């Protein structure tokens, strides 16, 4: 494919007709819904049942220090029964809050850092087959550690103890490729950052 053709490859928003819809479950941050969707069939259009998770979306932050090291936190994830090394991340659970502001808040609350410069790094649907969740990952640089006494956030439950480690970007990518890191935000964010670093991050858009 030529370079011009590559630039035309992009996802597009589209919604097929929904004949009816039913909410199956509603929790604090997500819910389950069934839609009956009109789709192409072998003998003409058919109405097909599709079950999916309704999710408000999430953000993640790849915080990179002046030595080119990535900040990782370790958090227990009950659904997969693992302690996972992850980028700081969080659900978009405050109405009207811009994604980058959520990322800034989560970086401060989970890791105790602020950053001067923010760029958009990756934007993806982690489970498009059965979830509306959209995750936006940001690159944060110009880091400043904030004393714990100045962080107005009480860490409880899974966030009660979040050990921090710093890995070089290359070592983080090696851990991803070796199958030692499994969190989707971390995998996507690290590999996107490796690619962006080849051009000194100049190709990245400022976070809006």
């Amino acid at each position: 494919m030529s370079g011009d053709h590559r630039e035309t490859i992009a996802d597009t928003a589209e919604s097929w007709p929904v004949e009816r819809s039913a909410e199956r479950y509603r929790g604090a941050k997500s819910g389950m819904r069934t839609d009956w969707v009109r789709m192409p069939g072998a003998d003409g259009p058919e109405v097909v049942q599709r079950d999916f998770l309704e999710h408000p979306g999430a953000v993640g932050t790849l915080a990179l220090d002046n030595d080119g090291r990535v900040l990782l936190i370790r958090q227990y994830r009950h659904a997969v029964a693992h302690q996972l090394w992850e980028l700081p991340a969080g659900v978009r659970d405050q109405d009207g809050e811009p994604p980058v502001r959520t990322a800034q808040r989560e970086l401060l609350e989970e890791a105790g850092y602020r950053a001067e410069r923010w760029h958009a790094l990756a934007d993806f649907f982690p489970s498009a087959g059965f979830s509306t969740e959209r995750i936006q990952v940001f690159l944060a640089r110009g880091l400043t550690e904030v004393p714990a006494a100045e962080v107005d956030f009480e860490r409880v439950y899974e966030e009660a103890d979040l050990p921090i480690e710093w890995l070089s970007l290359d070592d983080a990518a090696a851990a991803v490729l070796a199958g030692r890191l499994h969190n989707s935000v971390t995998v996507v964010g690290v590999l996107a950052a490796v690619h962006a670093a080849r051009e000194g991050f100049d190709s990245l858009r400022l976070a809006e």
Side-chain angles (χ1 to χ4, degrees):
M1 296 178 68
S2 69
D4 289 341
H5 286 154
R6 292 192 189 100
E7 293 177 1
T8 67
I9 302 299
D11 298 332
T12 56
E14 181 176 336
S15 182
W16 289 0
V18 176
E19 298 293 317
R20 61 190 178 97
S21 183
E23 184 172 86
R24 303 300 192 182
Y25 164 80
R26 177 58 53 185
K29 296 182 180 179
S30 62
M32 291 298 300
R33 177 170 294 277
T34 299
D35 281 352
W36 284 263
V37 187
R38 184 169 293 277
M39 296 185 176
D43 300 315
E46 296 181 27
V47 175
V48 181
Q49 178 179 321
R50 290 292 179 262
D51 304 312
F52 61 95
L53 173 73
E54 291 184 309
H55 192 284
V59 297
T61 298
L62 190 142
L64 197 66
D65 72 5
N66 292 334
D67 295 321
R69 298 181 305 167
V70 177
L71 186 155
L72 295 174
I73 59 176
R74 191 180 68 180
Q75 187 165 349
Y76 173 66
R77 297 299 187 181
H78 184 70
V80 294
H82 272 69
Q83 293 272 6
L84 299 180
W85 285 102
E86 308 177 353
L87 301 183
V91 175
R92 296 190 61 197
D93 54 4
Q94 294 194 14
D95 291 342
E97 184 175 63
V100 68
R101 177 68 189 103
T102 307
Q104 292 166 347
R105 179 168 53 81
E106 292 290 345
L107 178 62
L108 177 61
E109 292 174 352
E110 291 192 341
Y113 280 85
R114 290 193 177 98
E116 294 178 358
R117 303 184 300 281
W118 290 81
H119 289 81
L121 184 60
D123 187 344
F124 65 102
F125 299 109
S127 304
F130 62 88
S131 173
T132 65
E133 183 180 16
R134 176 180 180 178
I135 299 179
Q136 293 163 274
V137 186
F138 298 92
L139 172 68
R141 291 185 294 169
L143 302 178
T144 300
E145 188 172 7
V146 179
E150 297 180 17
V151 180
D152 184 19
F153 179 73
E154 183 182 4
R155 295 176 182 167
V156 294
Y157 311 126
E158 292 93 341
E159 297 176 334
D161 180 30
L162 298 176
I164 290 177
E165 287 288 348
W166 295 86
L167 283 183
S168 72
L169 185 55
D170 285 343
D171 285 345
V176 168
L177 297 177
R180 302 199 307 273
L181 299 179
H182 301 86
N183 173 264
S184 64
V185 176
T186 305
V187 170
V188 172
V190 166
L191 297 184
V194 168
H195 180 78
R198 296 172 185 169
E199 299 178 349
F201 303 107
D202 292 338
S203 62
L204 297 180
R205 295 172 288 112
L206 287 174
E208 299 178 358

